[in-house]
Amino acid sequence: MSDTVRKNILVFRELPPDQLARLHAQHKVTVANPRVPEQAARFHDALATTEGMIGSSYAIDEGLLARAPQLRVISSVSVGVDNYPLSALAKRAIMLCHTPGVLTETTADTIFSLIMASSRRLVELANLVRDGHWRRNIGEDLYGWDVHAKTLGILGFGRIGQALARRAALGFGMPVLYHNLHPVDAAKELPELLGKITHTPLEELLRRADIVAVVLPLSDETRGLMGPREFALMKPGAIFVNGARGAIVQEEALLQALDHGTLRAAGLDVFATEPLPLNSPLRTHPKVTAFPHIGSATFETRHAMAVLATTNLLQALAGERPLARFDLSAV
C-alpha cells in the first residue's frame, strides 16, 4: 500500500480542532474516547483496522494491541510512556512517539509551585481567607517556612529536573543536590549552574536535602522507589514533592512518614490511582498539598503537545522520521 493512501487513524483522547483537522485532511479518522461509556464500543471496533493511534492517559495494554493487527504507530500526547507495553511494541515493530521538550518549562513551574505551596502553606492559608476564618493576624501556628537558601534534592535530572534546578539555584539561591544514573557535565551542558549543583548518591541526598522533589520517569527500577526506608532517611522537617508519577511512591509509607515520622509536608501532583479516590487519606491530609495532575496543564503547553503529537503521527504514517520518536531499541 502506498504511503499516499489515506490510512485509518484512531484518536483516543480529544485533540484541539485545528490538529484534528490536520488529520482529517490526510487520513480517515475515528474519534473515540474509551473513557466515555458511549464511545467505548466505537473505540474497540476501530482497533481492528487502525494503522495509527493518537491520545494520552489511557493504558494501551497487550490485549488491546492484539486487537489492532494493522497498527504501525502510536503517538502519545505526553512525554511519559508508562501507559504502553514497550516490549510488545518493540516485538511488533510498532513505532512509539511522544512529546518531550515542549512541556519542560511548564512542568518545572508546576513542581516549583508545589515546593512553594507546601513550604509556605499557601493552599491552607488561602482557604483560611475563603472560608471566612481570617479575623486577625495569623500566629505562629500558621507560619510557613522559607524556601530561599534551602537545599533542594532532585531525583532525576533530565530536562525537567534541570529546569527545576535553574529555578531553585538561580532564582532562590538554593544549593541543589541531584541523583541521576549519570552525572551531568555542568561545564559543557549547564554552565549557568556550574558550582551550584552536585551529583549525589540517593541516601546522601535524602539525608541532606530540606526539600526532595521527584522528577523521575516511571520504570521497573523506579516503581515504589520511595518507601519506608527512604522516607526514614529524610532529615527532620523535610518536605517531599512528587511531580513525576504516583507509582514511584509507596503512598502508605508516605502517610506513615507524615503521621508518625518527621516529614513536615508533602506536595503531590500525581498519585497511584487517578483521579484520587474520595476515600484516600491524601485528599484531606492536613500536611498534604494535592494538585489534580496539572504538570503541563496550560493552554499554551497542551496545544504545543498536541501539535507535536499530530506532527509525529503524520510523519510516521508518511514514512518519514518523526520529530520525537521514543527509542524502543533498548527495551
Side-chain angles (χ1 to χ4, degrees), residues 126-164:
N127 286 336
L128 185 79
V129 178
R130 173 174 291 185
D131 296 339
H133 299 313
W134 183 40
R135 295 168 185 163
R136 59 181 177 82
N137 289 341
I138 66 170
E140 290 186 4
D141 60 318
L142 291 174
Y143 286 177
W145 298 271
D146 285 332
V147 173
H148 62 270
K150 294 293 175 62
T151 297
L152 175 63
I154 303 177
L155 303 187
F157 210 61
R159 294 181 181 91
I160 296 171
Q162 293 171 18
L164 184 62

Short mmCIF file of all heavy atoms in Angstrom, two decimals, residues 126-164:
data_model
loop_
_atom_site.label_atom_id
_atom_site.label_comp_id
_atom_site.label_asym_id
_atom_site.label_seq_id
_atom_site.Cartn_x
_atom_site.Cartn_y
_atom_site.Cartn_z
N ALA A 126 -4.86 30.22 52.00
CA ALA A 126 -5.85 30.80 51.08
C ALA A 126 -7.26 30.35 51.49
O ALA A 126 -8.22 31.14 51.44
CB ALA A 126 -5.54 30.38 49.65
N ASN A 127 -7.38 29.09 51.90
CA ASN A 127 -8.68 28.59 52.34
C ASN A 127 -9.12 29.24 53.65
O ASN A 127 -10.33 29.38 53.91
CB ASN A 127 -8.65 27.08 52.49
CG ASN A 127 -8.65 26.36 51.16
OD1 ASN A 127 -9.11 26.90 50.15
ND2 ASN A 127 -8.13 25.14 51.13
N LEU A 128 -8.15 29.63 54.46
CA LEU A 128 -8.48 30.35 55.69
C LEU A 128 -9.25 31.63 55.37
O LEU A 128 -10.24 31.97 56.02
CB LEU A 128 -7.19 30.67 56.45
CG LEU A 128 -7.33 31.33 57.83
CD1 LEU A 128 -7.70 30.28 58.87
CD2 LEU A 128 -6.03 32.01 58.23
N VAL A 129 -8.77 32.32 54.32
CA VAL A 129 -9.44 33.55 53.89
C VAL A 129 -10.78 33.22 53.24
O VAL A 129 -11.83 33.82 53.55
CB VAL A 129 -8.55 34.33 52.90
CG1 VAL A 129 -9.27 35.58 52.42
CG2 VAL A 129 -7.22 34.70 53.56
N ARG A 130 -10.78 32.25 52.33
CA ARG A 130 -12.00 31.90 51.58
C ARG A 130 -13.12 31.46 52.53
O ARG A 130 -14.29 31.79 52.31
CB ARG A 130 -11.69 30.80 50.58
CG ARG A 130 -12.91 30.24 49.87
CD ARG A 130 -12.54 29.27 48.79
NE ARG A 130 -11.87 29.93 47.68
CZ ARG A 130 -11.52 29.33 46.55
NH1 ARG A 130 -11.76 28.04 46.40
NH2 ARG A 130 -10.92 30.00 45.59
N ASP A 131 -12.75 30.71 53.58
CA ASP A 131 -13.76 30.17 54.48
C ASP A 131 -14.18 31.15 55.58
O ASP A 131 -14.99 30.79 56.45
CB ASP A 131 -13.24 28.88 55.13
CG ASP A 131 -13.00 27.78 54.10
OD1 ASP A 131 -13.58 27.86 53.00
OD2 ASP A 131 -12.22 26.85 54.39
N GLY A 132 -13.63 32.36 55.54
CA GLY A 132 -14.04 33.38 56.49
C GLY A 132 -13.43 33.26 57.87
O GLY A 132 -13.94 33.83 58.84
N HIS A 133 -12.31 32.54 57.98
CA HIS A 133 -11.69 32.34 59.30
C HIS A 133 -10.52 33.29 59.56
O HIS A 133 -9.89 33.20 60.62
CB HIS A 133 -11.19 30.89 59.42
CG HIS A 133 -12.29 29.88 59.31
ND1 HIS A 133 -13.48 29.98 60.00
CD2 HIS A 133 -12.39 28.73 58.57
CE1 HIS A 133 -14.25 28.96 59.71
NE2 HIS A 133 -13.62 28.18 58.83
N TRP A 134 -10.22 34.19 58.63
CA TRP A 134 -9.13 35.15 58.85
C TRP A 134 -9.71 36.38 59.53
O TRP A 134 -10.30 37.25 58.88
CB TRP A 134 -8.47 35.51 57.52
CG TRP A 134 -7.29 36.44 57.68
CD1 TRP A 134 -6.34 36.41 58.64
CD2 TRP A 134 -6.98 37.55 56.84
NE1 TRP A 134 -5.43 37.43 58.46
CE2 TRP A 134 -5.80 38.15 57.35
CE3 TRP A 134 -7.57 38.10 55.70
CZ2 TRP A 134 -5.21 39.26 56.77
CZ3 TRP A 134 -6.98 39.21 55.11
CH2 TRP A 134 -5.81 39.78 55.65
N ARG A 135 -9.53 36.46 60.83
CA ARG A 135 -10.15 37.53 61.60
C ARG A 135 -9.12 38.36 62.37
O ARG A 135 -9.46 39.34 63.00
CB ARG A 135 -11.17 36.94 62.57
CG ARG A 135 -12.33 36.27 61.82
CD ARG A 135 -13.19 35.44 62.72
NE ARG A 135 -14.21 34.72 61.94
CZ ARG A 135 -14.89 33.69 62.39
NH1 ARG A 135 -14.66 33.24 63.62
NH2 ARG A 135 -15.77 33.08 61.64
N ARG A 136 -7.88 37.92 62.31
CA ARG A 136 -6.79 38.67 62.95
C ARG A 136 -5.50 38.21 62.32
O ARG A 136 -5.46 37.26 61.54
CB ARG A 136 -6.76 38.44 64.47
CG ARG A 136 -6.58 36.98 64.85
CD ARG A 136 -6.58 36.79 66.36
NE ARG A 136 -6.48 35.40 66.75
CZ ARG A 136 -5.34 34.70 66.81
NH1 ARG A 136 -4.18 35.31 66.51
NH2 ARG A 136 -5.35 33.44 67.18
N ASN A 137 -4.40 38.90 62.61
CA ASN A 137 -3.10 38.49 62.10
C ASN A 137 -2.80 37.06 62.54
O ASN A 137 -3.05 36.69 63.69
CB ASN A 137 -2.00 39.42 62.60
CG ASN A 137 -2.08 40.79 61.97
OD1 ASN A 137 -2.72 40.96 60.93
ND2 ASN A 137 -1.47 41.78 62.60
N ILE A 138 -2.27 36.27 61.60
CA ILE A 138 -2.03 34.87 61.94
C ILE A 138 -0.91 34.74 62.96
O ILE A 138 -0.01 35.57 63.04
CB ILE A 138 -1.70 34.03 60.68
CG1 ILE A 138 -0.35 34.46 60.08
CG2 ILE A 138 -2.81 34.11 59.65
CD1 ILE A 138 0.15 33.51 59.00
N GLY A 139 -0.97 33.67 63.72
CA GLY A 139 0.06 33.39 64.72
C GLY A 139 1.02 32.33 64.24
O GLY A 139 0.95 31.84 63.10
N GLU A 140 1.92 31.95 65.12
CA GLU A 140 2.97 31.00 64.75
C GLU A 140 2.41 29.66 64.30
O GLU A 140 3.06 28.94 63.55
CB GLU A 140 3.92 30.80 65.92
CG GLU A 140 4.80 32.01 66.22
CD GLU A 140 5.83 31.70 67.28
OE1 GLU A 140 5.91 30.53 67.72
OE2 GLU A 140 6.56 32.63 67.68
N ASP A 141 1.22 29.31 64.77
CA ASP A 141 0.65 28.02 64.39
C ASP A 141 0.34 27.94 62.90
O ASP A 141 0.15 26.83 62.37
CB ASP A 141 -0.62 27.75 65.19
CG ASP A 141 -1.69 28.80 64.98
OD1 ASP A 141 -1.35 30.00 64.95
OD2 ASP A 141 -2.87 28.43 64.83
N LEU A 142 0.33 29.09 62.21
CA LEU A 142 0.04 29.10 60.78
C LEU A 142 1.23 29.61 59.95
O LEU A 142 1.09 29.81 58.74
CB LEU A 142 -1.20 29.97 60.49
CG LEU A 142 -2.52 29.39 61.00
CD1 LEU A 142 -3.65 30.40 60.78
CD2 LEU A 142 -2.84 28.07 60.32
N TYR A 143 2.36 29.82 60.58
CA TYR A 143 3.54 30.25 59.83
C TYR A 143 3.99 29.14 58.87
O TYR A 143 3.83 27.95 59.14
CB TYR A 143 4.71 30.56 60.76
CG TYR A 143 4.60 31.85 61.54
CD1 TYR A 143 5.58 32.20 62.46
CD2 TYR A 143 3.53 32.71 61.36
CE1 TYR A 143 5.50 33.38 63.19
CE2 TYR A 143 3.43 33.89 62.09
CZ TYR A 143 4.41 34.22 63.01
OH TYR A 143 4.34 35.37 63.73
N GLY A 144 4.59 29.56 57.77
CA GLY A 144 5.22 28.62 56.86
C GLY A 144 6.73 28.62 57.07
O GLY A 144 7.22 29.04 58.14
N TRP A 145 7.45 28.12 56.06
CA TRP A 145 8.90 28.01 56.15
C TRP A 145 9.52 28.58 54.89
O TRP A 145 8.97 28.44 53.78
CB TRP A 145 9.32 26.55 56.33
CG TRP A 145 8.78 25.96 57.59
CD1 TRP A 145 9.36 25.96 58.81
CD2 TRP A 145 7.53 25.30 57.75
NE1 TRP A 145 8.56 25.34 59.73
CE2 TRP A 145 7.42 24.93 59.11
CE3 TRP A 145 6.47 24.99 56.87
CZ2 TRP A 145 6.31 24.26 59.60
CZ3 TRP A 145 5.35 24.33 57.37
CH2 TRP A 145 5.29 23.98 58.73
N ASP A 146 10.67 29.23 55.04
CA ASP A 146 11.36 29.82 53.89
C ASP A 146 11.75 28.75 52.88
O ASP A 146 12.07 27.61 53.24
CB ASP A 146 12.62 30.54 54.34
CG ASP A 146 12.33 31.87 55.02
OD1 ASP A 146 11.30 32.48 54.69
OD2 ASP A 146 13.14 32.28 55.87
N VAL A 147 11.76 29.15 51.62
CA VAL A 147 12.26 28.30 50.54
C VAL A 147 13.66 28.74 50.12
O VAL A 147 14.53 27.91 49.89
CB VAL A 147 11.30 28.35 49.33
CG1 VAL A 147 11.91 27.61 48.13
CG2 VAL A 147 9.95 27.73 49.69
N HIS A 148 13.87 30.06 50.04
CA HIS A 148 15.16 30.54 49.57
C HIS A 148 16.28 30.03 50.48
O HIS A 148 16.13 29.92 51.69
CB HIS A 148 15.18 32.07 49.51
CG HIS A 148 14.98 32.73 50.85
ND1 HIS A 148 13.74 33.07 51.35
CD2 HIS A 148 15.88 33.11 51.79
CE1 HIS A 148 13.88 33.63 52.53
NE2 HIS A 148 15.17 33.67 52.83
N ALA A 149 17.37 29.66 49.84
CA ALA A 149 18.60 29.19 50.50
C ALA A 149 18.49 27.79 51.10
O ALA A 149 19.48 27.26 51.62
CB ALA A 149 19.07 30.17 51.59
N LYS A 150 17.34 27.15 51.03
CA LYS A 150 17.21 25.77 51.49
C LYS A 150 17.83 24.83 50.45
O LYS A 150 17.93 25.15 49.27
CB LYS A 150 15.74 25.40 51.71
CG LYS A 150 15.08 26.14 52.84
CD LYS A 150 15.66 25.76 54.19
CE LYS A 150 15.08 26.58 55.33
NZ LYS A 150 13.63 26.39 55.49
N THR A 151 18.25 23.65 50.89
CA THR A 151 18.86 22.68 49.98
C THR A 151 17.77 21.85 49.30
O THR A 151 16.94 21.24 49.98
CB THR A 151 19.82 21.75 50.74
OG1 THR A 151 20.89 22.53 51.28
CG2 THR A 151 20.40 20.69 49.80
N LEU A 152 17.79 21.86 47.96
CA LEU A 152 16.83 21.09 47.19
C LEU A 152 17.49 19.83 46.66
O LEU A 152 18.55 19.88 46.03
CB LEU A 152 16.30 21.92 46.01
CG LEU A 152 15.37 21.19 45.04
CD1 LEU A 152 14.09 20.73 45.74
CD2 LEU A 152 15.05 22.07 43.84
N GLY A 153 16.86 18.68 46.90
CA GLY A 153 17.33 17.42 46.32
C GLY A 153 16.39 17.01 45.21
O GLY A 153 15.18 16.95 45.40
N ILE A 154 16.94 16.74 44.03
CA ILE A 154 16.13 16.39 42.86
C ILE A 154 16.44 14.96 42.46
O ILE A 154 17.60 14.62 42.18
CB ILE A 154 16.41 17.34 41.68
CG1 ILE A 154 16.15 18.79 42.09
CG2 ILE A 154 15.56 16.97 40.47
CD1 ILE A 154 16.48 19.80 40.99
N LEU A 155 15.42 14.11 42.42
CA LEU A 155 15.58 12.72 41.98
C LEU A 155 15.21 12.67 40.50
O LEU A 155 14.04 12.81 40.14
CB LEU A 155 14.68 11.79 42.79
CG LEU A 155 14.87 11.81 44.31
CD1 LEU A 155 14.03 10.72 44.97
CD2 LEU A 155 16.33 11.67 44.69
N GLY A 156 16.23 12.47 39.66
CA GLY A 156 16.05 12.54 38.22
C GLY A 156 16.56 13.87 37.72
O GLY A 156 16.26 14.92 38.31
N PHE A 157 17.36 13.83 36.64
CA PHE A 157 17.96 15.10 36.19
C PHE A 157 17.96 15.19 34.68
O PHE A 157 18.97 15.51 34.05
CB PHE A 157 19.38 15.23 36.75
CG PHE A 157 19.78 16.67 36.97
CD1 PHE A 157 19.09 17.47 37.86
CD2 PHE A 157 20.88 17.20 36.31
CE1 PHE A 157 19.46 18.79 38.08
CE2 PHE A 157 21.27 18.52 36.52
CZ PHE A 157 20.55 19.32 37.41
N GLY A 158 16.78 14.89 34.10
CA GLY A 158 16.59 15.12 32.68
C GLY A 158 16.19 16.56 32.44
O GLY A 158 16.53 17.46 33.21
N ARG A 159 15.45 16.80 31.37
CA ARG A 159 15.08 18.17 31.02
C ARG A 159 14.34 18.88 32.16
O ARG A 159 14.65 20.03 32.51
CB ARG A 159 14.19 18.17 29.77
CG ARG A 159 14.86 17.70 28.49
CD ARG A 159 13.86 17.78 27.35
NE ARG A 159 14.41 17.32 26.08
CZ ARG A 159 14.35 16.08 25.64
NH1 ARG A 159 13.76 15.15 26.40
NH2 ARG A 159 14.85 15.75 24.48
N ILE A 160 13.34 18.20 32.72
CA ILE A 160 12.53 18.84 33.76
C ILE A 160 13.34 19.04 35.03
O ILE A 160 13.26 20.10 35.67
CB ILE A 160 11.27 18.00 34.03
CG1 ILE A 160 10.38 17.97 32.78
CG2 ILE A 160 10.48 18.58 35.20
CD1 ILE A 160 9.21 17.00 32.87
N GLY A 161 14.14 18.05 35.42
CA GLY A 161 14.98 18.20 36.61
C GLY A 161 15.95 19.36 36.47
O GLY A 161 16.17 20.12 37.42
N GLN A 162 16.52 19.51 35.29
CA GLN A 162 17.45 20.62 35.05
C GLN A 162 16.73 21.97 35.07
O GLN A 162 17.25 22.96 35.60
CB GLN A 162 18.17 20.40 33.73
CG GLN A 162 19.11 19.20 33.76
CD GLN A 162 19.68 18.85 32.41
OE1 GLN A 162 19.66 19.66 31.49
NE2 GLN A 162 20.17 17.63 32.28
N ALA A 163 15.52 22.00 34.51
CA ALA A 163 14.75 23.25 34.54
C ALA A 163 14.38 23.61 35.97
O ALA A 163 14.38 24.79 36.35
CB ALA A 163 13.49 23.10 33.68
N LEU A 164 14.05 22.59 36.78
CA LEU A 164 13.75 22.84 38.19
C LEU A 164 14.98 23.35 38.92
O LEU A 164 14.89 24.27 39.75
CB LEU A 164 13.25 21.54 38.82
CG LEU A 164 12.78 21.60 40.27
CD1 LEU A 164 11.60 22.53 40.42
CD2 LEU A 164 12.43 20.19 40.76
#
